[in-house]
Amino acid sequence: MTSKFLGIDIGGTSIKLGIVTGNGDIVEKWQISTNRSESGNMIIKDIVNSISGKIFENKLKISDFSGIGIGVPGPVEGGRVKRAVNLGWKDMPLVEIIQQSFNLPVQLINDANAAALGELWIGSKKGMQDVVFVTLGTGVGGGIVVNGKIINGANASGGEIGHIPLITNESRICSCGNINCLECYASANGLFHTMKNLVNQYDSMLKFSNTADIFELSARGNLIAHEAIETTISYLAYALSSIINTLDPEEVIIGGGLSDAGEALLLPLRKSLKPLLFPQIKDNLRLRKASVGNDAGVLGAVYQVIQEQKL
Amino acid sequence: MTSKFLGIDIGGTSIKLGIVTGNGDIVEKWQISTNRSESGNMIIKDIVNSISGKIFENKLKISDFSGIGIGVPGPVEGGRVKRAVNLGWKDMPLVEIIQQSFNLPVQLINDANAAALGELWIGSKKGMQDVVFVTLGTGVGGGIVVNGKIINGANASGGEIGHIPLITNESRICSCGNINCLECYASANGLFHTMKNLVNQYDSMLKFSNTADIFELSARGNLIAHEAIETTISYLAYALSSIINTLDPEEVIIGGGLSDAGEALLLPLRKSLKPLLFPQIKDNLRLRKASVGNDAGVLGAVYQVIQEQKL
């Protein structure tokens, strides 16, 4: 019987869990809700109980597993979650706690980085080593993979693509405290904000309630929606080209809610990127939508364990 | 007798050579001029002859050496120099030729990347693994070191920091064919161009003939020169913060001609960077001037050989 791994993707509202083989096949997956009471201490108890129950239920035992990978919504360093506002955690020694509960090797990874590794492991052409992964969701996140490994950074802030500063003629304050970060413009919130500004200026009767509406309006020929999307994509292209010209990756993968727009996002993004990329790069770079979806975090957390055990 | 290495740094006007120990001590260094006749084929003959002569002269033999590292002014891939306009080379199988001449392992590396590795090896605090190296010379070059290794990139274009595109209200055409690359603004030529524009506009009698003059004028309180430097630094800060917020390196090292200005460049650059860096990074990042100087290329080429032999 080949060895299995446990993957855990902790989010602010739910925790995804999975039993995964060394080849990336998900044997079983389930999820529990995130109970943030007791300063987030219930979260760990819930995870341990849920895993124990699932192992028992499947007539498995701890020795069937080779390790546990955990993705968390915050920076990680030395086995600790430095902070995770959404969970109420600060300097949480998660690796130690989970290791004591199951007596298995545990790897901790930031959730955006886990999603990037999940894409690299399952979604990319085999053998890919250098990938830039960008999530365009409520915020903008990222994971940078170089030589097959996530860049965690000197201050656990590697891949903070959302906080690339832009030169703009507006002034939007970012959740990080800085001004005009990419996230203020290229997230779902950012696109919504840009659309709202344009609507107020040109057609205050135009109705839209989310970013899907904006893409829909644009598809139907609405020029205001088209302009809002173009502006968003133009900023994204500038930020991405900085990264691409610096790292020269094989592939750039776009995930998160905005990527649901598919080619309506990717086609104009490719067009905007072209004049900004270094000549030797522009004809070879692949830009594609994330393909793994909701399981990317669980899979990436497991992949991190497998990679560390290779050394 | 401990093993030695040969380091070669090929430039458009001169070729620097050195005999280097495994600890990075330069036992002997010399240089020859670059003879670009015969489509650059003389360059290789000159190098081979010069090394052979020096080995004989020092009563050494080939078996005293463990390898040869070569830095070249162009992209490298699979042991070949893809092109080096300054040398007249295109798709030159340099590793094969030098290997056949000396029967030693040969490593090829781009010159900006070699300089970065040289700084990492000799100039940085021991144990540094993640460094961004920027050369502000005639152009703007770069070398990105992650986990102690240079990022060469999928198209041999890793570290092309000079070609990060900027959002500006001017339009400067870059040598690469794109518009408004960082190099058009933050190189010595870029600063000179910016100064010239301002002088034409505000004080056409003001004399200056190089960037040292501009820093000198600024130090003496000239507001036009001050403005030219501030503009240059502002663009540089935007480009660097994109890289820094993405990679979260331990150190950013500035080399090249403009770095001779020392703190007159670094102090305002630190100030411009501060509001643009991700909060967890801004208090910890070190920004410093390159310290190895002219030998960085030779040393970095050797370090590349040593690293490859470690695997």
Side-chain angles (χ1 to χ4, degrees):
Chain A
M1 185 180 189
T2 110
S3 191
K4 293 180 181 61
F5 298 85
L6 283 157
I8 308 170
D9 181 8
I10 308 179
T13 50
S14 72
I15 299 162
K16 302 187 183 73
L17 301 104
I19 297 174
V20 182
T21 70
N23 300 320
D25 296 318
I26 298 178
V27 177
E28 171 143 14
K29 63 180 176 180
W30 70 103
Q31 64 179 56
I32 58 178
S33 54
T34 307
N35 178 354
R36 290 189 276 181
S37 59
E38 294 179 33
S39 307
N41 280 318
M42 286 306 293
I43 294 171
I44 298 178
K45 286 180 196 154
D46 287 350
I47 290 174
V48 171
N49 288 338
S50 176
I51 290 176
S52 305
K54 193 61 76 174
I55 289 177
F56 179 77
E57 188 185 301
N58 282 274
K59 298 192 175 67
L60 292 166
K61 43 192 189 311
I62 295 291
S63 59
D64 294 326
F65 293 89
S66 297
I68 304 176
I70 314 176
V72 291
V76 305
E77 207 172 323
R80 304 173 91 91
V81 183
K82 289 179 75 178
R83 71 198 155 275
V85 182
N86 286 341
L87 308 179
W89 288 0
K90 221 191 146 178
D91 201 33
M92 174 68 82
L94 191 62
V95 164
E96 197 187 324
I97 297 172
I98 300 293
Q99 238 160 18
Q100 282 171 355
S101 300
F102 295 105
N103 197 25
L104 283 172
V106 178
Q107 285 290 327
L108 195 57
I109 182 171
N110 165 272
D111 58 357
N113 289 342
L117 278 186
E119 277 293 332
L120 181 78
W121 193 23
I122 308 297
S124 288
K125 224 180 66 185
K126 290 293 161 203
M128 295 276 249
Q129 293 285 301
D130 302 306
V131 169
V132 171
F133 181 78
V134 189
T135 331
L136 307 176
T138 318
V140 172
I144 310 289
V145 182
V146 171
N147 291 324
K149 294 201 156 188
I150 276 289
I151 296 187
N152 195 44
N155 306 285
S157 301
E160 287 293 354
I161 292 172
H163 302 282
I164 289 178
L166 297 173
I167 301 176
T168 73
N169 40 29
E170 265 187 80
S171 203
R172 297 190 188 173
I173 296 173
C174 184
S175 61
C176 78
N178 289 352
I179 290 166
N180 289 333
C181 290
L182 176 64
E183 178 163 301
C184 305
Y185 295 87
S187 61
N189 285 344
L191 169 57
F192 198 85
H193 187 152
T194 301
M195 179 70 175
K196 219 164 153 185
N197 286 353
L198 289 168
V199 163
N200 287 342
Q201 206 177 339
Y202 298 111
D203 179 4
S204 55
M205 302 300 285
L206 190 64
K207 292 273 172 284
F208 68 101
S209 54
N210 53 45
T211 56
D213 289 351
I214 303 172
F215 278 101
E216 167 104 31
L217 280 165
S218 174
R220 282 196 270 124
N222 182 283
L223 291 178
I224 296 177
H226 181 78
E227 172 69 17
I229 292 168
E230 284 290 312
T231 303
T232 301
I233 284 174
S234 164
Y235 286 133
L236 181 59
Y238 269 96
L240 286 183
S241 61
S242 303
I243 304 172
I244 296 167
N245 290 347
T246 302
L247 298 179
D248 185 11
E250 297 159 283
E251 205 172 60
V252 175
I253 304 168
I254 313 282
L258 280 191
S259 74
D260 291 342
E263 287 301 307
L265 177 81
L266 296 185
L267 219 68
L269 179 56
R270 281 192 201 98
K271 205 174 145 197
S272 287
L273 275 172
K274 205 107 187 182
L276 305 178
L277 297 183
F278 191 60
Q280 280 71 50
I281 297 176
K282 68 177 85 185
D283 293 326
N284 301 316
L285 182 77
R286 274 185 302 275
L287 175 76
R288 70 164 176 88
K289 196 184 152 188
S291 58
V292 176
N294 270 331
D295 299 329
V298 164
L299 288 163
V302 167
Y303 191 54
Q304 174 81 347
V305 180
I306 292 175
Q307 279 198 310
E308 288 302 315
Q309 295 186 350
K310 269 187 190 161
L311 296 181
Chain B
M1 187 176 188
T2 110
S3 191
K4 293 180 181 61
F5 297 86
L6 283 157
I8 308 170
D9 181 10
I10 308 181
T13 51
S14 73
I15 299 161
K16 301 186 184 73
L17 302 104
I19 297 173
V20 180
T21 69
N23 300 321
D25 295 320
I26 298 178
V27 177
E28 171 142 15
K29 62 179 177 181
W30 69 102
Q31 65 179 54
I32 58 179
S33 53
T34 308
N35 179 353
R36 289 188 278 180
S37 59
E38 295 178 32
S39 308
N41 280 318
M42 286 304 293
I43 293 171
I44 298 178
K45 287 180 196 154
D46 288 350
I47 289 173
V48 171
N49 289 339
S50 176
I51 290 176
S52 305
K54 193 61 75 172
I55 289 177
F56 180 77
E57 188 185 302
N58 281 275
K59 300 189 173 69
L60 292 166
K61 44 194 188 312
I62 295 291
S63 59
D64 294 327
F65 294 87
S66 297
I68 303 177
I70 313 176
V72 292
V76 304
E77 206 171 328
R80 303 172 91 90
V81 183
K82 289 179 75 176
R83 70 196 159 275
V85 182
N86 286 341
L87 309 179
W89 288 358
K90 220 190 146 176
D91 201 31
M92 173 68 81
L94 191 60
V95 164
E96 196 186 326
I97 298 172
I98 300 292
Q99 237 159 19
Q100 281 171 354
S101 301
F102 295 105
N103 197 25
L104 284 173
V106 177
Q107 284 290 327
L108 196 55
I109 182 171
N110 165 270
D111 58 356
N113 289 342
L117 278 186
E119 276 294 330
L120 181 76
W121 192 22
I122 309 297
S124 287
K125 223 179 66 183
K126 290 292 162 207
M128 293 276 247
Q129 293 286 302
D130 301 307
V131 169
V132 170
F133 181 78
V134 189
T135 331
L136 306 176
T138 318
V140 171
I144 310 289
V145 183
V146 171
N147 291 325
K149 293 200 157 188
I150 277 288
I151 297 188
N152 194 45
N155 304 286
S157 301
E160 288 293 355
I161 292 173
H163 302 282
I164 288 177
L166 297 172
I167 302 176
T168 73
N169 40 29
E170 267 187 80
S171 203
R172 297 189 189 175
I173 296 172
C174 184
S175 61
C176 78
N178 289 353
I179 291 166
N180 290 332
C181 290
L182 176 65
E183 177 162 303
C184 305
Y185 295 86
S187 61
N189 285 345
L191 170 57
F192 197 86
H193 188 152
T194 301
M195 179 70 176
K196 220 165 155 185
N197 286 354
L198 289 168
V199 163
N200 287 343
Q201 205 176 340
Y202 297 112
D203 179 5
S204 57
M205 303 299 285
L206 189 65
K207 294 273 171 283
F208 68 101
S209 54
N210 52 46
T211 56
D213 289 352
I214 302 173
F215 278 100
E216 168 104 30
L217 280 166
S218 175
R220 284 196 268 120
N222 182 284
L223 292 179
I224 296 176
H226 181 78
E227 173 69 17
I229 293 168
E230 284 291 313
T231 303
T232 302
I233 284 174
S234 165
Y235 285 133
L236 182 59
Y238 269 95
L240 286 183
S241 61
S242 303
I243 305 172
I244 296 167
N245 289 347
T246 302
L247 298 179
D248 185 11
E250 297 160 284
E251 206 172 60
V252 174
I253 304 169
I254 313 282
L258 280 192
S259 74
D260 292 342
E263 287 300 308
L265 177 81
L266 297 186
L267 219 66
L269 180 55
R270 280 192 203 100
K271 205 174 144 195
S272 287
L273 275 173
K274 205 106 188 180
L276 306 178
L277 297 183
F278 191 60
Q280 280 72 48
I281 296 176
K282 68 177 83 185
D283 294 326
N284 301 316
L285 182 79
R286 276 185 299 275
L287 175 78
R288 70 164 176 87
K289 196 185 152 186
S291 58
V292 177
N294 270 331
D295 300 327
V298 165
L299 288 165
V302 168
Y303 191 54
Q304 175 81 346
V305 182
I306 292 175
Q307 279 199 311
E308 287 302 315
Q309 295 187 350
K310 269 187 190 160
L311 294 181

